[in-house]
Amino acid sequence: MTRRRWSNGDGFPDLVTANHDSDDITIYRGDGLGGFTLNTTIPAGDGARWPAIVDLNGDGALDLALGCHYENSLRLFLNDGAGVFTAGAILAGGNRPAMVAPLDFTGDGLPDLIVAPEESDGVVLQPNLGGGIFPTQNDLNPGVDTRFVISLDFNGDGHLDLAATEGNANQIAFFPGIGDGTFGARVGVSSGGTRPQEMAAADFNGDGRPDLAVANFNSDNATVHLNDGLGGFTQSADLPTGGTDPFSIAAGDLNGDAHQDFVVSHRNSNFLRAFFGDGTGQFPTNLDLPLASSCVCMRLGDVNGDGRLDIVAGERWNTPNRIVVFLADGAGGFPTVIPTSVVGSLDARYISLGDLDGDGNLDLTLVNRDGNDLVLVYKGDGQGGFTLLSFLAALVTGNWPPPHVGEIVNLNNDGIPDVAVADQEGYLRLFLGEGQGFFQPYETLDDCLPLAGNSPFHLAAGDFDEDGLPDLAIVNHFPGGSNTAGGITILLQQP
């Protein structure tokens, strides 16, 4: 695709071509007489096509925005006024972006960008926040099969960092936070197993630093990694989980001894295994808790108000469909088991706990991937039971795909829990809580935020740019439908 505009400020039209096969941009300088001379070639993304020429940052120089067809991204290149371009942000472009056009769809006088993807319903809208800054960043790409992310200050510098699991690389990727919404260079450490899935953070050796426990899917083990306080981790324990394909993991003090423990579920075994820590990073004892079917989503929380951490697990493909609560006795036992039937055909994919209606009892949201494309909201009774309260219409892109992630988080700092939902196609929908367990969508279905990849598996909230507003980090299992590279989308909330 070739476009003609003034790029170097000499008053003569120049030419810009996006080269699909060579993945670059070429700029030809016009001589004012109808002739053009090759000026520069700029490396671009995979499958570069259809450049939009527009002053994105208001400096009077024409910049470039182009879709990269095979990496499902929108790339920006900023002009210094003399025709020299510097690579800028990489934004979500939908599934196989084709045409890119500037349009002020927010009505603030700034050129926003609209992208027409070939293999996605609708279009992708990227609002310009001023100065050529766009809200979606995709500068964290830890590797193929990205599964889980945790946001904590791991290195003690006062800024939130990120740790993510890399399934196919068998590593934990650590990204140190800078404090302005960006992150430093990735540091990778071995997960101690193969195809790591979820992680849990807790101080397993009592030194005041957050450590990590990891569920390793293919090697059927859980590993514990102790934090050195500088962003480095050393493995302290390698624990067989006893089942097939460990998946979900959650940490806390399960037996009241002031030492941190953790629980692991299995995708293809019908039990949970709890590991009890001794405060040194070792776990000498464990306990198995039976389920009627396998489980890939589990959380810890005090659901009956007795001050003890209970276990809440979602079963998969069981009849009847159930959420199962194991009530803790405070000494490491879970003698009381309370099942709750769930509507619809159940493939429980994601559970989040929080007091959604302000009554002091923990409620939950459940993403049911094999159900009716809804996020289910269940009200806790304060004794371990749950009753269906409401539905969140999380469907974004037609009858398929279903929602993947539904996390409870206070998005607008009003003290009332909200819910962020991401679907398998890579769109984010936000629901603002009303305080009684009911929610209003923040935007219409057509305004849902596109992420930088698809098949999101987890999200974490934190104030990454330290402006007092909660931001989001979302793990993308694939970028736009091909198993080539996962990544993390950082969404910075604007005042």
Side-chain angles (χ1 to χ4, degrees), residues 122-494:
V123 296
V124 175
L125 304 178
Q126 291 288 4
N128 191 340
L129 303 177
I133 299 174
F134 291 78
T136 303
Q137 299 181 13
N138 184 32
D139 52 2
L140 301 180
N141 191 9
V144 175
D145 200 15
T146 315
R147 287 283 177 160
F148 201 82
V149 63
I150 293 177
S151 171
L152 285 172
D153 181 9
F154 288 104
N155 58 6
D157 64 356
H159 304 310
L160 286 177
D161 311 308
L162 296 177
T165 51
E166 302 177 351
N168 287 353
N170 303 324
Q171 287 198 331
I172 304 166
F174 172 72
F175 297 90
I178 306 302
D180 60 359
T182 63
F183 295 83
R186 170 194 175 278
V187 177
V189 297
S190 172
S191 70
T194 54
R195 205 179 175 201
Q197 301 294 307
E198 291 192 9
M199 293 185 294
D203 181 9
F204 292 119
N205 62 347
D207 63 359
R209 303 163 182 161
D211 309 307
L212 295 172
V214 183
N216 295 293
F217 188 84
N218 283 358
S219 51
D220 296 333
N221 69 327
T223 51
V224 176
H225 305 262
L226 301 182
N227 185 355
D228 65 8
L230 301 174
F233 294 88
T234 302
Q235 183 175 320
S236 69
D238 182 346
L239 307 164
T241 64
T244 303
D245 302 336
F247 197 95
S248 187
I249 189 168
D253 182 5
L254 299 174
N255 56 2
D257 64 356
H259 303 317
Q260 295 295 303
D261 316 303
F262 66 89
V263 187
V264 179
S265 76
H266 302 86
R267 185 174 180 178
N268 287 299
S269 292
N270 300 350
F271 69 92
L272 310 176
R273 176 164 288 189
F275 293 91
F276 299 100
D278 62 6
T280 69
Q282 300 299 314
F283 298 80
T285 59
N286 61 69
L287 173 69
D288 290 344
L289 302 170
L291 294 168
S293 67
S294 61
C295 170
V296 297
C297 60
M298 172 196 58
R299 294 293 181 263
L300 302 182
D302 181 11
V303 299
N304 62 348
D306 63 359
R308 303 162 182 165
L309 284 179
D310 310 304
I311 303 172
V312 182
E315 293 182 330
R316 307 179 72 213
W317 303 320
N318 185 37
T319 303
N321 307 316
R322 307 189 309 171
I323 302 166
V324 182
V325 174
F326 296 86
L327 295 182
D329 62 10
F334 298 85
T336 303
V337 180
I338 302 176
T340 295
S341 295
V342 176
V343 299
S345 175
L346 181 64
D347 179 8
R349 180 55 60 100
Y350 201 100
I351 283 179
S352 188
L353 297 175
D355 181 7
L356 300 177
D357 56 3
D359 64 356
N361 300 325
L362 284 181
D363 312 303
L364 66 83
T365 57
L366 174 68
V367 173
N368 183 9
R369 189 174 184 270
D370 199 34
N372 40 17
D373 301 319
L374 299 170
V375 176
L376 310 178
V377 180
Y378 281 83
K379 175 180 173 59
D381 62 9
Q383 300 179 26
F386 293 89
T387 303
L388 181 65
L389 180 63
S390 63
F391 299 88
L392 303 183
L395 196 65
V396 173
T397 55
N399 293 324
W400 178 266
H404 251 202
V405 174
E407 184 71 28
I408 297 172
V409 58
N410 186 9
L411 293 167
N412 55 358
N413 283 341
D414 63 355
I416 301 173
D418 310 304
V419 178
V421 179
D423 79 354
Q424 183 174 320
E425 193 74 10
Y427 286 83
L428 179 71
R429 194 169 195 208
L430 307 179
F431 295 84
L432 300 184
E434 297 180 343
Q436 301 298 320
F438 295 93
F439 300 83
Q440 289 294 328
Y442 177 71
E443 71 295 278
T444 68
L445 286 174
D446 292 335
D447 295 329
C448 293
L449 294 171
L451 306 178
N454 70 16
S455 201
F457 265 60
H458 185 249
L459 69 83
D463 184 8
F464 302 129
D465 55 1
E466 300 175 8
D467 62 355
L469 300 174
D471 309 307
L472 296 176
I474 304 170
V475 165
N476 304 303
H477 184 36
F478 300 138
S482 60
N483 188 4
T484 54
I488 304 173
T489 297
I490 306 297
L491 295 175
L492 301 180
Q493 188 172 169
Q494 303 299 316

